[in-house]
C-alpha cells in the first residue's frame, strides 16, 4: 500500500510543540519511586476526597439538583457559583466587590484558569502582537503564546517580583519604536510566582496599573493577573490586595483564579473577573470551545464554598504546604553546596534555586528520554555502589539526578530568550511526600557533587537568598 500523503497542519499546530512538563510528568509516573520536585501537582494526601464524597451525596440526593448538575448550564457559569465567587474575591481583598467595580456578571467560570489564559490570549493576539512577561515566567503560558505566534518580551524579576521600572522603560522604548500598537498584554503571576515563588509588592501592583493606563493610547493594554496560588499564603504578609484592586473601574486588569491549587485540580475549574468588553469577547470564544464548563464540577465547587468546606480545606493546605516549604528550605540549607542560593516563598508551591555560575541544570541528552521504562530504576541506597562516569565524559546534572532517583524542572524551560541561563532549577514542594524531602535534596546535592567533582555532604551552604539572579531584560 502506498503511504498516504502528509497532513497539512495549521501554522498554529506547527508552532505548538509538546509541553516540556509532559515528558517530566511521564518520567515521574513511570518511575513511582522517583522523588519528584518537578510537577506543580498538589499534595495527593491533602486532596479533599471525603469532603467531595459528602458534597456529591448532597447534590445527587436532591433529584432536582441532581438533574441540573447532570445537564448543560450556561457558557458563563452557574449564576449561584458566580455570586459565591464574587463574595469570595471580596473576602480575599477585604473590600466589598462593589469597591472593585465588580458584579457577578463580570465573572466567567472556565475549565481551569489555563483555559482562561488561552481564551484571553486568543481574543487579543494576532501573530506578532507583543505580550510582556517576567523572565523567568510560567512556561505553560509561554507555550500558549508561542502557539498563537505572539512576540514575548520580558522584564527581570527581583525580590519584589516583576521589575515595574524595567517594564516602564520597555514600554517607553516600544513607544519610541512605534511598536506600542502591537502591545496587548502584560502577564503577571502576582502571588508566589511559578516558577520563582516571588510575590509582586503592593507598590509595584499599583504602579503596574498606572503604566498600563499611561501607555494605553489607541487601544487598552491589559494586565493579565494570574493569581493561581493566591490562597496558598503561609502568613499574613502573603495576603495582599490583587493588582485588580488598583483598577476600581474594572478597565485594565483581568484577574484569574482557580480551584486547582486551594481545593482540587480534578474539578478543573477556574474563574476570572474581566472588564466588560473583554468578558463579552472571551465568552463568545468559550462558546465555541465548550459552551460551558462541567456543571457537576461547578455544583461541587458551589457546595464546597457555600457549606464552608472550601474555606476549611484551604486552611489545612496552607498549614501543610508551609510545613513542607520549611522542610525543603531546611534541607537545602543542610545539603546544598556553597554558592547555591534560593528563594524563600511566603506561599505557593515553588522554590527557585540558583546554582553556582557555570553549572548546567538543563536536560541535554535526557531531552529525548520520555519514558521511564528506558530510565534506570530508582537506585535508592544502592547508589554509591554504582561506578561513576569516567571524568572525561561530561555528566549532566539532570541525568545524574534521574540516575539517583530525583527530578526537578530545569530552569531553562522558564526563560524566553534564545540562550537561557543554565544554572537555575525549579523545585516544587507540592506533590513530594514530606518524609522524602530531605532524602530528595540530599540526592540532588550528591548529584551536584558528582557532576562537579565535589564530595557530597562535605560542602556547606550559602545564605539563602530571596532574590533569583536577574536575567536578561528583554528578548
Ligand atoms: C501560574 C499558573 N497559572 C495557571 C495554572 C493553571 O491551572 P488550572 O488550569 O488547573 O487552573 C497553573 C497550573 O499549574 C499555574 O501554575
Amino acid at each position: 500500500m502506498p503511504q498516504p500523503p502528509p497532513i497539512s497542519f495549521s501554522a498554529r499546530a506547527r508552532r505548538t510543540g509538546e509541553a516540556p512538563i509532559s515528558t517530566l510528568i511521564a518520567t515521574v509516573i513511570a518511575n513511582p519511586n522517583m522523588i519528584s520536585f518537578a510537577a506543580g501537582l498538589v499534595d495527593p494526601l491533602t486532596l479533599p476526597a471525603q469532603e467531595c464524597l459528602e458534597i456529591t451525596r448532597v447534590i445527587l440526593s436532591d433529584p432536582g439538583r441532581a438533574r441540573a448538575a447532570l445537564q448543560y448550564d450556561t457558557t458563563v457559569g452557574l449564576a449561584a457559583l458566580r455570586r459565591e465567587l464574587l463574595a469570595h474575591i471580596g473576602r480575599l481583598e477585604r473590600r466589598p466587590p462593589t469597591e472593585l467595580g465588580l458584579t457577578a456578571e463580570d465573572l466567567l467560570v472556565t475549565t481551569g484558569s489555563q483555559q482562561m489564559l488561552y481564551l484571553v490570549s486568543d481574543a487579543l493576539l494576532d501573530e506578532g502582537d507583543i505580550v510582556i512577561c517576567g523572565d523567568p515566567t510560567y512556561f505553560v503560558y509561554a507555550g500558549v503564546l508561542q502557539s498563537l505566534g505572539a512576540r514575548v518580551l520580558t522584564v527581570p524579576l527581583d525580590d519584589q517580583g516583576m521589575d515595574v521600572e524595567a517594564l516602564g522603560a520597555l514600554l517607553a522604548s516600544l513607544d519610541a519604536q512605534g511598536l506600542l500598537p502591537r502591545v496587548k498584554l502584560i502577564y503577571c503571576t502576582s502571588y508566589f510566582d511559578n516558577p520563582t515563588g516571588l510575590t509582586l509588592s503592593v507598590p509595584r501592583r499599583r504602579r503596574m496599573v498606572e503604566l498600563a493606563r499611561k501607555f494605553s493610547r489607541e487601544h487598552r493594554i491589559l494586565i493579565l493577573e494570574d493569581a493561581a496560588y493566591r490562597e496558598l499564603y503561609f502568613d499574613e504578609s502573603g495576603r495582599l490586595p490583587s493588582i485588580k484592586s488598583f483598577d476600581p473601574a474594572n478597565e485594565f486588569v483581568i484577574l484569574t483564579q482557580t480551584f486547582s491549587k486551594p481545593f482540587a485540580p480534578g474539578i478543573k475549574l477556574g474563574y476570572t473577573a474581566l472588564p466588560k468588553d473583554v468578558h463579552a469577547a472571551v465568552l463568545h470564544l468559550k462558546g465555541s470551545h465548550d459552551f460551558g464548563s462541567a456543571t457537576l464540577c461547578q455544583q461541587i465547587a458551589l457546595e464546597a464554598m457555600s457549606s464552608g468546606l472550601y474555606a476549611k480545606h484551604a486552611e489545612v493546605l496552607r498549614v501543610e504546604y508551609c510545613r513542607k516549604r520549611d522542610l525543603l528550605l531546611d534541607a537545602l540549607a543542610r545539603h546544598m553546596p556553597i554558592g547555591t542560593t534560593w528563594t524563600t516563598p511566603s506561599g505557593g508551591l515553588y522554590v527557585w534555586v540558583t546554582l553556582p555560575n557555570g553549572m548546567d541544570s538543563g536536560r541535554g541528552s535526557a531531552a529525548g528520554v520520555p519514558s521511564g521504562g528506558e530510565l534506570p530504576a530508582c537506585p535508592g541506597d544502592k547508589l554509591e555502589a554504582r561506578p561513576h562516569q569516567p571524568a572525561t565524559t561530561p555528566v549532566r546534572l539532570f541525568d545524574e539526578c534521574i540516575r539517583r532517583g530525583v527530578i526537578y524542572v530545569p530552569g531553562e524551560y522558564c526563560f524566553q530568550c534564545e540562550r537561557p541561563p543554565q544554572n537555575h532549577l525549579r523545585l516544587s514542594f507540592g506533590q513530594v511526600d514530606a518524609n522524602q524531602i530531605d532524602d530528595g535534596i540530599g540526592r540532588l546535592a550528591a548529584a551536584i557533587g558528582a557532576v562537579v567533582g565535589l564530595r557530597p555532604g562535605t560542602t556547606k551552604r550559602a545564605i539563602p537568598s530571596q532574590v533569583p539572579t536577574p536575567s536578561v531584560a528583554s528578548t
Side-chain angles (χ1 to χ4, degrees):
M1 286 276 279
Q3 286 290 314
I7 308 285
S8 171
F9 287 105
S10 68
R12 190 165 291 181
R14 289 199 304 274
R15 280 191 298 255
T16 311
E18 185 178 23
I21 193 69
S22 311
T23 45
L24 295 184
I25 291 177
T27 304
V28 175
I29 289 173
N31 291 270
N33 295 328
M34 181 88 71
I35 301 181
S36 173
F37 297 104
L41 302 188
V42 301
D43 190 329
L45 300 177
T46 61
L47 287 170
Q50 191 56 37
E51 289 89 336
C52 286
L53 179 64
E54 283 163 30
I55 287 171
T56 22
R57 207 173 269 139
V58 170
I59 295 167
L60 297 179
S61 54
D62 168 348
R65 195 168 173 191
R67 280 190 208 104
L70 297 171
Q71 184 56 280
Y72 287 128
D73 198 86
T74 52
T75 306
V76 70
L78 294 183
L81 176 60
R82 284 182 291 114
R83 284 194 295 274
E84 277 292 339
L85 291 171
L86 183 70
H88 179 61
I89 291 175
R91 283 191 295 274
L92 290 173
E93 302 286 353
R94 302 183 225 235
R95 286 167 70 182
T98 43
E99 281 185 21
L100 304 164
L102 293 178
T103 70
E105 305 309 305
D106 302 314
L107 298 189
L108 176 46
V109 177
T110 48
T111 307
S113 55
Q114 189 65 39
Q115 186 183 42
M116 179 53 77
L117 298 183
Y118 192 95
L119 291 174
V120 164
S121 307
D122 200 16
L124 295 172
L125 301 174
D126 286 316
E127 215 180 310
D129 279 347
I130 294 170
V131 179
I132 302 176
C133 299
D135 204 22
T137 199
Y138 170 44
F139 51 82
V140 183
Y141 184 56
V144 169
L145 296 177
Q146 183 181 339
S147 211
L148 295 174
R151 191 172 160 205
V152 180
L153 300 181
T154 60
V155 291
L157 307 178
D158 62 21
D159 61 338
Q160 295 183 53
M162 253 170 108
D163 179 345
V164 286
E165 290 322 311
L167 171 65
L170 176 58
L171 286 165
S173 131
L174 290 167
D175 189 15
Q177 296 169 65
L179 286 172
L180 220 41
R182 302 307 303 263
V183 181
K184 297 287 183 68
L185 274 174
I186 300 163
Y187 171 71
C188 180
T189 310
S190 48
Y191 300 83
F192 328 120
D193 175 40
N194 176 2
T196 63
L198 296 166
T199 291
L200 190 71
S201 69
V202 172
R204 288 189 181 184
R205 289 168 191 247
R206 185 192 306 275
R207 181 78 183 126
M208 194 180 276
V209 180
E210 282 167 11
L211 287 170
R213 190 182 291 276
K214 175 175 167 191
F215 286 96
S216 290
R217 306 253 172 81
E218 282 147 32
H219 71 269
R220 243 174 298 154
I221 296 174
L222 292 161
I223 297 169
L224 177 50
E225 179 177 20
D226 181 345
Y229 299 91
R230 176 176 198 175
E231 291 171 65
L232 299 184
Y233 52 83
F234 300 153
D235 56 48
E236 284 302 300
S237 70
R239 296 192 63 184
L240 302 180
S242 61
I243 303 174
K244 177 87 203 150
S245 71
F246 297 101
D247 175 34
N250 188 23
E251 294 166 329
F252 289 91
V253 184
I254 298 162
L255 168 65
T256 186
Q257 300 192 175
T258 179
F259 281 89
S260 292
K261 310 299 173 178
F263 191 66
I267 65 167
K268 198 63 186 168
L269 282 185
Y271 54 99
T272 304
L274 304 106
K276 289 195 185 336
D277 34 11
V278 192
H279 188 283
V282 170
L283 184 63
H284 296 155
L285 282 174
K286 181 165 166 70
S288 315
H289 270 233
D290 61 8
F291 51 93
S293 297
T295 322
L296 179 59
C297 294
Q298 294 189 64
Q299 286 284 358
I300 291 173
L302 171 61
E303 185 61 30
M305 294 213 105
S306 59
S307 64
L309 278 174
Y310 174 91
K312 265 196 225 144
H313 185 69
E315 189 49 38
V316 169
L317 292 188
R318 286 191 277 270
V319 172
E320 180 56 12
Y321 287 133
C322 182
R323 183 173 84 87
K324 289 172 78 176
R325 186 264 327 245
D326 290 345
L327 287 171
L328 180 57
L329 295 179
D330 283 355
L332 287 167
R334 245 196 319 282
H335 296 290
M336 292 303 270
I338 291 170
T340 309
T341 58
W342 51 86
T343 54
T344 302
S346 49
L349 300 179
Y350 306 105
V351 170
W352 182 248
V353 175
T354 303
L355 299 173
N357 259 338
M359 283 222 65
D360 186 343
S361 68
R363 294 201 70 187
S365 61
V369 185
S371 113
E374 298 162 31
L375 293 165
C378 280
D381 51 12
K382 295 198 194 84
L383 271 177
E384 298 311 328
R386 286 174 148 236
H388 276 167
Q389 308 252 359
T392 47
T393 311
V395 182
R396 284 201 160 258
L397 177 61
F398 190 88
D399 296 344
E400 184 63 19
C401 282
I402 297 287
R403 198 177 77 71
R404 290 171 182 263
V406 63
I407 188 167
Y408 58 83
V409 171
E412 64 181 344
Y413 292 167
C414 310
F415 291 97
Q416 303 309 305
C417 47
E418 260 174 40
R419 277 186 296 281
Q422 297 293 318
N423 61 327
H424 299 282
L425 40 108
R426 188 195 80 173
L427 299 179
S428 168
F429 46 91
Q431 187 194 17
V432 64
D433 186 323
N435 296 322
Q436 291 193 309
I437 289 178
D438 193 68
D439 183 13
I441 297 301
R443 293 183 194 197
L444 170 62
I448 294 173
V451 168
V452 299
L454 300 171
R455 272 204 306 125
T458 58
T459 51
K460 264 302 160 198
R461 63 188 166 111
I463 301 193
S465 158
Q466 295 266 352
V467 190
T469 308
S471 47
V472 262
S474 117
T475 55

